[in-house]
């Protein structure tokens, strides 16, 4: 599948999913066989366990980026219980964002996966995060890349927020970079992945992260 047809298919499915009904959500997902297969594969291999919790209420616009029905259907297929609007960050940030048509100050949520900026910031091939690739699921590829960035001691920072360990990692400390963010559950010490996206200036993000400890990027 080429990028144009892949994006067209995502857009068509996302339009269907905007109707907040269980039928619409099922139809939207079923129209993307590779996404259904990805959810099944990630569920079978326990990949969602590496990710923490996130809200679908975007902090920049104060509105949900997908419908409650799609939220529920994604979690059902991933084999997880969740109560709107808080769910699994990997499921929402990788797959939920693909089916969001909500504009944010940084564009569409899916852009990180279907354009080349994030892959290039990770020094990967331009198609590294295209979601319909057949060699591995998007969650698998994103999780692998994110973990490598997060555990690079020279380009990561840690902070404690309300007793919870948080960590941010970047591919470079100044200028354009890929950013990864992780937050530990309240009773744990190991941060779980929350999100991954490209930033225009890693230095600004790292400075703000250190100076203003708080949960960010829709983590809860």
């Amino acid at each position: 599948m080429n990028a144009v047809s892949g994006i067209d298919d995502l857009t068509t499915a996302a339009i269907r999913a905007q109707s907040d009904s269980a039928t619409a959500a099922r139809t939207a997902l079923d129209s993307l066989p590779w996404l259904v297969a990805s959810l099944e594969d990630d569920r079978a291999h326990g990949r969602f366990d590496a990710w923490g919790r996130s809200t679908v209420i975007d902090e920049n616009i104060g509105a949900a980026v997908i419908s409650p029905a799609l939220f529920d259907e994604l979690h059902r297929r991933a084999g997880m219980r969740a109560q709107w609007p808080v769910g699994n960050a990997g499921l929402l940030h990788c797959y939920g964002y693909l089916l969001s048509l909500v504009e944010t100050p940084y564009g569409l949520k899916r852009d990180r996966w279907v354009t080349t900026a994030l892959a290039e910031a990770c020094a990967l091939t331009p198609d590294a995060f295209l979601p319909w690739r057949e060699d591995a699921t998007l969650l698998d590829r994103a999780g692998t890349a994110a973990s490598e960035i997060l555990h690079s001691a020279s380009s990561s920072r840690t902070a404690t927020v309300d007793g919870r360990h948080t960590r941010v990692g970047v591919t470079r400390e100044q200028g354009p970079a890929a950013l990864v963010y992780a937050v530990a559950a309240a009773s744990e010490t190991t941060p779980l992945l929350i999100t991954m996206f490209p930033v225009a200036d890693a230095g600004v993000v790292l400075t703000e992260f250190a100076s203003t400890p708080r949960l960010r990027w829709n983590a809860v």
Side-chain angles (χ1 to χ4, degrees):
M1 181 186 299
N2 63 49
V4 173
S5 62
I7 292 172
D8 286 346
D9 288 349
L10 278 179
T11 300
T12 299
I15 291 171
R16 288 181 179 139
Q18 285 184 310
S19 175
D20 187 22
S21 74
T23 298
R26 288 194 299 269
T27 301
L29 292 182
D30 288 339
S31 71
L32 302 169
W34 57 263
L35 178 51
V36 173
S38 293
L39 290 167
E40 292 174 351
D41 193 68
D42 291 330
R43 175 179 180 173
H45 289 86
R47 296 189 186 107
F48 295 110
D49 295 344
W51 297 77
R53 284 157 48 86
S54 173
T55 175
V56 293
I57 308 299
D58 184 72
E59 64 184 36
N60 291 296
I61 61 175
V65 297
I66 62 173
S67 72
L70 181 58
F71 174 97
D72 289 342
E73 183 65 13
L74 284 167
H75 282 88
R76 185 186 70 80
R77 297 199 187 208
M80 293 181 289
R81 293 179 179 272
Q83 184 163 351
W84 172 269
V86 176
N88 182 269
L91 179 66
L92 296 174
H93 288 234
C94 288
Y95 300 129
Y97 282 5
L98 290 177
L99 296 175
S100 174
L101 295 177
V102 175
E103 288 282 353
T104 76
Y106 305 100
L108 293 176
K109 289 290 193 178
R110 72 185 186 194
D111 287 349
R112 70 193 67 182
W113 307 125
V114 300
T115 62
T116 62
L118 180 59
E120 291 170 352
C122 293
L124 299 173
T125 59
D127 66 344
F129 296 120
L130 287 182
W132 46 80
R133 275 181 48 173
E134 297 180 356
D135 54 338
T137 70
L138 172 59
L139 190 78
D140 190 9
R141 286 176 275 132
T144 297
S147 295
E148 291 176 357
I149 295 168
L150 198 65
H151 293 101
S152 175
S154 63
S155 60
S156 63
R157 303 287 188 275
T158 60
T160 300
V161 180
D162 297 331
R164 299 168 66 185
H165 298 285
T166 71
R167 190 173 183 89
V168 66
V170 291
T171 51
R172 55 184 296 185
E173 297 197 8
Q174 298 292 331
L179 178 146
V180 177
Y181 181 57
V183 177
S187 60
E188 303 295 334
T189 58
T190 302
L192 297 173
L193 296 171
I194 297 295
T195 196
M196 179 183 191
F197 55 89
V199 294
D201 191 339
V204 172
V205 176
L206 292 176
T207 298
E208 203 274 337
F209 177 82
S211 64
T212 313
R214 63 176 178 85
L215 293 183
R216 58 191 70 226
W217 300 309
N218 303 322
V220 296

